[in-house]
Amino acid sequence: MTYIDMKLIIIHIDKCKCEVRKLENNFEKSARVFKALCDPNRLMIIELLKSGEKCACNLLEELNISQSTLSHHMKLLCESGVVNCRRDGKWMNYSLSKKGFENAHRLLEEIMEAAVLLDIDGECDCE
């Protein structure tokens, strides 16, 4: 094998590693969205935000959780992209993110499309 062949193989391997990293990042982003939506308290927060932007203090009044627990939930919701946050002095205000929920909808839509294509009327015969 020549030096040039070896260099091309290394470039190909590096490109594949980069593509795998991008794929892993996409899965991590998707996991953040699903994680944000899989907790009853976070779903209650989303329900409260349906009526518009709310200050953290208003959310605390509505929920039976501590301030630190609310902060944890809001961190996960904001990191997932489904909730926006805005600082107003010492208070944080939260609102639903249209773009974030469009992304969540797209993720579910992709899964549903695959499920419909693969749907076979039949029981699993693994038993």
Side-chain angles (χ1 to χ4, degrees), residues 108-122:
L108 288 172
E109 208 167 51
E110 289 172 3
I111 294 168
M112 285 300 299
E113 286 173 10
V116 168
L117 292 174
L118 298 173
D119 192 21
I120 300 171
D121 290 335

Side-chain angles (χ1 to χ4, degrees), residues 14-107:
D14 287 345
K15 183 179 177 188
C16 290
K17 284 181 183 176
C18 183
E19 288 172 5
V20 167
R21 273 188 244 118
K22 286 179 188 176
L23 188 60
E24 288 172 348
N25 287 340
N26 286 341
F27 286 130
E28 288 173 10
K29 288 176 186 175
S30 297
R32 270 187 238 127
V33 171
F34 290 116
K35 182 177 181 177
L37 300 176
C38 74
D39 180 86
N41 284 317
R42 291 192 284 275
L43 291 174
M44 279 194 288
I45 292 166
I46 290 169
E47 183 67 30
L48 291 169
L49 294 176
K50 283 182 181 179
S51 62
E53 184 180 75
K54 299 239 183 303
C55 175
C57 59
N58 297 123
L59 292 171
L60 278 172
E61 289 174 7
E62 299 285 333
L63 302 166
N64 191 23
I65 59 176
S66 68
Q67 188 277 326
S68 62
T69 301
L70 176 66
S71 292
H72 170 74
H73 288 307
M74 299 317 296
K75 178 180 184 269
L76 292 173
L77 287 165
C78 292
E79 284 178 351
S80 74
V82 297
V83 170
N84 296 316
C85 63
R86 179 181 64 82
R87 182 171 292 283
D88 185 18
K90 67 177 186 170
W91 298 107
M92 293 299 287
N93 291 287
Y94 299 98
S95 61
L96 297 179
S97 167
K98 182 178 182 207
K99 183 178 177 183
F101 276 99
E102 285 172 349
N103 181 47
H105 183 262
R106 182 186 51 74
L107 290 169

